Amino acid sequence: MSNPGKLVLENYIGGKFVPCSKHIDSYDPATGAVYCRVPDSGAEEELGSPPVRKARSIKTWMSELAVEELDYPAQSPDLNLTEPLG
């Protein structure tokens, strides 16, 4: 879908802009008009991003406490705080 004159944003992954396969409209709350299109990205587009770096002190602390690290907590439906919990 093309929007002449409208800003179309892309993903910024690994220090560069990466095209995405889908966009959604972003609305101006004052007027209700569409003012740009933003990426509607999913895990398939984000999994190609570089891994998150952690400080050595955090890695040591997590190891000492035997903390189990989740691979992709941000995409976990169990941690989605925008949905009701009950």
Side-chain angles (χ1 to χ4, degrees), residues 64-84:
E64 289 171 356
L65 295 177
V67 174
E68 184 178 340
E69 185 177 356
L70 299 175
D71 289 333
Y72 293 97
Q75 285 84 23
S76 172
D78 297 328
L79 299 176
N80 187 346
L81 301 179
T82 62
E83 297 178 2

Side-chain angles (χ1 to χ4, degrees), residues 16-60:
K16 60 183 177 180
F17 288 101
V18 179
C20 65
S21 59
K22 293 188 328 184
H23 289 83
I24 56 175
D25 292 335
S26 185
Y27 296 89
D28 181 338
T31 65
V34 174
Y35 70 93
C36 73
R37 297 193 40 84
V38 297
D40 185 16
S41 302
E44 66 279 353
E45 291 174 324
E46 295 171 12
L47 289 177
S49 63
V52 175
R53 293 180 176 86
K54 292 186 189 76
R56 190 174 314 137
S57 60
I58 298 298
K59 289 181 181 180
T60 302

